Amino acid sequence: MKTCEATYAKALLKFAALLVSSIAAMNAFAAADFEIDTPGVAALKQLMRARHAQLAGYYTSGAVGLTADGMIGLRDVSAVPQAERYTIFALVAAENQNRNALYAEIARANSHPEWEGEIRNTFARRWVQNARTGWWIQDDDGWERR
Amino acid sequence: MKRVLKVIKGQPAQLFPTASLWIVLSAAVFTLSACVTINIYFPAAAAEKAADKIIDEVWQIKKNDTEPSNKSVAPENGNNEPAAKGIK
């Protein structure tokens, strides 16, 4: 009887050791890196970089600001000439489309589509952190100048 | 009587290892599946670094962009202050 229990205990111990080592291995694998080098991400970066040349002025003037959800939004277009407003609408819409695609693409590149929300939150924080002084940032209380 | 009791006592005792084996196995499977679910965590630090890299490229944030202006300002102050002090 005792020997029987001892074998089970040994087997259980072995199994536990295997479990722990496999979890450690999976942890190491999961934490290895975060994939952003895909053709999709590169294409989106290219589009967004080109668009930024046009958007930068509007960030500075305050016509466009950074939102809390990792997007950009119209803040105050009253100072913008009527003819230019269509351009801004189009720029903001296109930028947000690219940003949504970027977050989804990064999640997909890492084989975790469910990470999209967390990726978006991470980006939202980092866009704000990297924003130049004078740019407008939206938080719970509304627009705030950085 | 004693013999019978021994047999009766012995039966459940013999059953115990197989029963425990099933309990242990099912618990292990459950634990393993739980571990796999928990293990798929979001690598926040790596994601933050990746986000910064992309933002740098999109916004073309060059550290050289601000540093030379600081450096060009610093020597001017550095030159002016000692000169002013020297005159005084």
Side-chain angles (χ1 to χ4, degrees):
Chain A
M1 280 308 286
K2 275 189 181 176
T3 51
C4 188
E5 274 176 16
T7 2
Y8 277 124
K10 269 187 189 173
L12 191 64
L13 250 160
K14 269 188 189 173
F15 186 77
L18 194 76
L19 200 69
V20 167
S21 60
S22 65
I23 290 163
M26 283 191 288
N27 260 324
F29 175 74
D33 65 350
F34 193 72
E35 183 64 61
I36 51 164
D37 292 324
T38 71
V41 170
L44 288 164
K45 273 194 303 195
Q46 187 69 36
L47 286 168
M48 289 163 73
R49 186 168 54 211
R51 192 178 302 110
H52 182 67
Q54 289 175 273
L55 276 169
Y58 296 123
Y59 290 137
T60 311
S61 73
V64 178
L66 310 175
T67 63
D69 60 350
M71 300 275 109
I72 62 169
L74 293 169
R75 194 192 69 89
D76 180 19
V77 286
S78 57
V80 178
Q82 195 76 45
E84 250 180 71
R85 289 182 194 176
Y86 289 107
T87 318
I88 303 194
F89 293 153
L91 283 172
V92 169
E95 175 70 12
N96 284 339
Q97 208 172 4
N98 282 171
R99 285 187 178 203
N100 277 329
L102 179 73
Y103 306 148
E105 170 64 22
I106 293 170
R108 202 168 37 240
N110 286 279
S111 315
H112 286 287
E114 76 278 7
W115 283 354
E116 193 184 326
E118 278 167 295
I119 290 166
R120 174 187 299 277
N121 291 338
T122 306
F123 266 88
R125 275 199 313 276
R126 299 318 297 168
W127 287 121
V128 168
Q129 279 294 308
N130 286 296
R132 303 241 162 136
T133 39
W135 289 8
W136 290 82
I137 286 134
Q138 196 180 37
D139 58 16
D140 298 334
D141 304 322
W143 289 106
E144 213 170 271
R145 200 152 189 218
R146 191 176 151 79
Chain B
M1 259 315 261
K2 277 183 182 176
R3 273 186 182 181
V4 171
L5 266 172
K6 267 185 184 174
V7 171
I8 290 164
K9 272 185 184 174
Q11 271 177 338
Q14 265 182 337
L15 273 172
F16 176 70
T18 35
S20 76
L21 178 72
W22 281 110
I23 291 162
V24 165
L25 262 179
S26 56
V29 167
F30 178 78
T31 316
L32 188 64
S33 68
C35 284
V36 167
T37 328
I38 291 161
N39 194 54
I40 302 169
Y41 70 102
F42 181 66
E48 206 157 279
K49 269 188 196 170
D52 278 345
K53 201 181 159 203
I54 289 174
I55 291 166
D56 273 9
E57 284 175 50
V58 170
W59 279 353
Q60 307 263 280
I61 304 163
K62 291 169 193 159
K63 281 178 182 169
N64 303 337
D65 221 31
T66 50
E67 273 172 14
S69 65
N70 287 342
K71 274 175 190 170
S72 66
V73 168
E76 274 173 32
N77 290 344
N79 289 338
N80 289 346
E81 277 174 25
K85 275 175 191 171
I87 290 161
K88 276 177 188 173

